């Protein structure tokens, strides 16, 4: 890790909140300052204030390039992962910047951080000391090689690389590096519990087919944006012939730094749930949060909250009495078909609206163009299909 001069450190301290691009243009004014490294640290601190606020408060923490900062875990999701596990010994086999490790480590007595990039290991040594996490031991090594010779621990953690050699995001476990499907037998031997962080784009059904020892799946969203898919493995659990039927799926939403109680279910519960379908759109309309849509808790939502589903494939719900539904809630103002006169009555005087399509044969862009509507405003429109296959446009106000 590059050693910074006192002049550079003083410059960084004095310009924490400044525009990095503007500072770079002034490099000639400060010949004694390593402006390139100063820019990296200032930009890193600014990202940390948003993503890892407790790190940003520690002035001596050092940061990597902007790309690494944007790709690292947030403090919110790291703290959530930490809440799921505890014990005496822990090993992070894909250490990276060390954000996850730094928060999870606080739940364990002895921690090993493993990372094959020397530059990240040097950063980790410095930052863990700055954060007072002196019980973390840093190992510059390949995680898979380290796994083969390590002593078993209470918990293992992996965050496989999810980009291929062309930089594209991968969504299958077999496309990640390392391949958890191949490593699973060794992982559950070396870790009493194994936590794996994966892309929220991953196909859950395929993960259940590939991995034999899944106990829990956590889908984590921050402000209704899916951020992570967390899988927990244990050797004592092996899937039955009915793939993943008893695996607990936790749909977790974090809003304004608050953890909202999760919606928890098993696939067998969803399969066996009986839900009622609405004959018409009633007084209130509900759109599930993204974690619920990702998890596929469609019929179970209707059953648990006493609402009616509009169509087997629409994933919108309605009721005559308002319920505390886990997602966006709306009051219905009008419902229309797509005839010219109907649309004119529904949209007369409306120039902009927030448009959503669910189980509808046109994209938002195509429909917005047809309806000649701009984005935004206080009106919400849902284009969808009812149980009798009638296509409708629902005009709502958000509650």
């Amino acid at each position: 890790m590059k050693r910074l001069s006192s002049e550079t450190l003083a410059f960084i301290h004095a310009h924490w909140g400044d525009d990095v691009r503007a500072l770079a243009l002034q490099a000639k004014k400060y010949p004694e300052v390593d402006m390139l490294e100063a820019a990296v640290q200032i930009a890193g601190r600014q990202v940390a204030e948003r993503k890892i606020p407790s790190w940003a408060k520690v002035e001596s923490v050092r940061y990597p390039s902007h790309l690494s900062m944007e790709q690292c875990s947030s403090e919110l999701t790291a703290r959530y992962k930490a809440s799921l596990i505890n014990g005496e010994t822990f090993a992070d086999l894909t250490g990276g910047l060390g954000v996850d490790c730094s928060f999870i480590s606080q739940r364990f007595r002895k921690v090993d951080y493993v990372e094959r990039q020397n530059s990240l290991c040097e950063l980790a040594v410095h930052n863990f000391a700055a954060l007072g996490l002196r019980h973390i031991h840093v190992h510059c090594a390949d995680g898979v090689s380290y796994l083969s010779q390590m002593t078993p621990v209470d918990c293992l953690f992996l965050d496989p690389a999810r980009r291929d050699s062309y930089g594209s995001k991968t969504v299958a476990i077999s496309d990640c590096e390392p391949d958890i499907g191949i490593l699973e037998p060794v992982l559950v031997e070396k870790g009493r519990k194994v936590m794996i962080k994966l892309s929220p784009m991953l196909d859950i059904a395929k993960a259940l087919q590939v991995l034999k020892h899944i106990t829990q799946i956590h889908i984590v969203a921050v402000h209704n944006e899916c951020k992570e898919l967390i899988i927990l493995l244990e050797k004592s659990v092996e899937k039955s012939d009915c793939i993943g039927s008893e695996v607990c799926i936790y749909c977790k939403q974090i809003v304004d730094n608050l953890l909202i109680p999760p919606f928890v279910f098993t696939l067998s519960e969803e399969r066996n749930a009986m839900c009622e379908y609405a004959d018409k759109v009633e007084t209130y309309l509900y759109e599930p949060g993204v974690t619920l849509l990702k998890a596929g808790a469609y019929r179970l939502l209707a059953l648990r909250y006493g609402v009616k589903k509009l169509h087997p494939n629409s994933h919108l719900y309605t009721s005559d009495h308002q319920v505390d539904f886990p997602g966006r809630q709306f009051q219905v103002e009008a419902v229309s078909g797509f005839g010219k006169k109907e649309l004119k009555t529904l949209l007369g005087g409306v120039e902009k609206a927030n448009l959503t399509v669910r189980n509808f044969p046109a994209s938002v862009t195509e429909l917005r163009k047809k309806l000649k509507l701009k984005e935004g405003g206080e009106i919400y429109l849902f284009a969808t299909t009812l149980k009798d296959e009638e296509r409708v446009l629902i005009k709502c106000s958000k509650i």
Side-chain angles (χ1 to χ4, degrees), residues 29 90 204 229 231 301 308 328:
K29 292 183 181 180
F90 170 78
I204 292 176
L229 188 66
I231 292 178
L301 271 173
K308 300 171 185 176
R328 296 201 297 172

Side-chain angles (χ1 to χ4, degrees), residues 5-302:
S5 67
S6 58
E7 292 83 2
T8 300
L9 288 170
F11 181 88
I12 292 169
H13 178 72
H15 296 276
W16 276 132
D18 292 356
D19 185 276
V20 175
R21 290 167 295 185
L23 289 176
L25 297 174
Q26 302 175 42
K28 290 183 179 179
K29 292 183 181 180
Y30 305 95
E32 74 284 3
V33 171
D34 183 341
M35 189 61 75
L36 184 60
E37 188 60 27
V40 169
Q41 296 310 309
I42 292 170
R45 166 73 176 274
Q46 291 172 359
V47 174
E49 287 178 335
R50 169 172 51 87
K51 292 189 70 174
I52 330 165
S54 64
W55 279 34
K57 292 176 182 177
V58 181
E59 196 170 302
S60 55
V61 165
R62 293 280 298 273
Y63 302 101
S65 67
H66 181 72
L67 181 61
S68 295
M69 286 299 298
E70 289 296 340
Q71 291 178 345
C72 75
S73 288
S74 70
E75 181 167 333
L76 288 174
T77 57
R79 287 188 183 278
Y80 179 71
K81 289 190 283 288
S83 73
L84 303 178
I85 50 177
N86 62 73
E88 289 289 306
T89 54
F90 170 78
D92 182 345
L93 298 181
T94 52
L97 183 55
V99 176
D100 284 320
C101 188
S102 72
F103 290 98
I104 295 173
S105 72
Q106 297 171 46
R107 309 270 291 177
F108 294 85
R109 184 181 59 81
K110 181 180 180 296
V111 176
D112 292 295
Y113 159 104
V114 184
E115 169 56 51
R116 59 189 176 189
Q117 291 187 52
N118 187 62
S119 59
L120 289 175
C121 288
E122 290 179 349
L123 266 181
V125 169
H126 175 88
N127 287 341
F128 292 154
L131 294 165
L133 302 172
R134 299 187 182 277
H135 65 306
I136 303 179
H137 305 276
V138 174
H139 306 270
C140 190
D142 176 74
V144 175
S145 299
Y146 185 91
L147 175 68
S148 65
Q149 51 80 40
M150 68 178 284
T151 302
V153 293
D154 290 333
C155 186
L156 278 174
F157 176 77
L158 294 93
D159 178 7
R162 298 185 292 275
R163 292 181 183 274
D164 61 22
S165 57
Y166 299 100
S168 301
K169 289 185 178 181
T170 57
V171 296
I173 285 178
S174 58
D175 292 330
C176 294
E177 201 282 315
D179 186 336
I180 303 302
I182 293 174
L183 286 181
E184 186 184 22
V186 184
L187 289 171
V188 296
E189 287 291 338
K190 293 299 180 82
R192 184 172 59 85
K193 286 188 176 181
V194 180
M195 176 181 283
I196 304 166
K197 170 184 164 183
L198 293 164
S199 165
M201 298 171 65
L202 186 86
D203 187 314
I204 292 176
K206 289 183 179 178
L208 288 166
Q209 290 174 348
V210 172
L211 299 173
K212 297 180 180 179
H213 300 280
I214 297 178
T215 58
Q216 297 177 13
I217 296 175
H218 295 251
I219 306 167
V220 184
V222 178
H223 294 113
N224 209 36
E225 180 183 351
C226 268
K227 292 293 186 181
E228 295 178 358
L229 188 66
I230 300 163
I231 292 178
L232 295 180
L233 309 176
E234 287 187 46
K235 184 182 179 182
S236 59
V237 176
E238 187 163 356
K239 69 184 179 186
S240 63
D241 292 335
C242 187
I243 294 173
S245 60
E246 298 309 318
V247 171
C248 278
I249 300 177
Y250 295 75
C251 302
K252 193 68 183 182
Q253 177 71 253
I254 304 173
V255 179
D256 295 331
N257 295 347
L258 297 175
L259 290 171
I260 296 172
F263 184 94
V264 185
F265 73 104
T266 65
L267 295 182
S268 60
E269 284 183 291
E270 169 63 19
R271 258 195 308 269
N272 297 327
M274 301 292 290
C275 78
E276 185 178 353
Y277 292 95
D279 292 322
K280 62 183 180 66
V281 181
E282 298 180 350
T283 308
Y284 297 96
L285 187 75
Y286 308 98
E287 181 186 39
V290 292
T291 60
L292 295 160
L293 293 172
K294 173 67 180 177
Y298 304 134
R299 293 191 296 273
L300 200 56
L301 271 173

Side-chain angles (χ1 to χ4, degrees), residues 312-331:
N313 300 321
S314 291
H315 312 322
L316 290 171
Y317 304 78
T318 191
S319 69
D320 268 333
H321 302 283
Q322 187 181 359
V323 301
D324 187 15
F325 190 85
R328 296 201 297 172
Q329 303 177 30
F330 303 87
Q331 185 155 2

Side-chain angles (χ1 to χ4, degrees), residues 364-383:
V364 169
T365 301
E366 290 168 340
L367 191 55
R368 186 176 297 285
K369 184 177 180 181
K370 177 182 177 180
L371 299 176
K372 299 178 181 178
L373 291 173
K374 297 178 182 178
E375 173 66 28
E378 301 297 320
I379 296 172
Y380 290 80
L381 298 173
F382 287 84

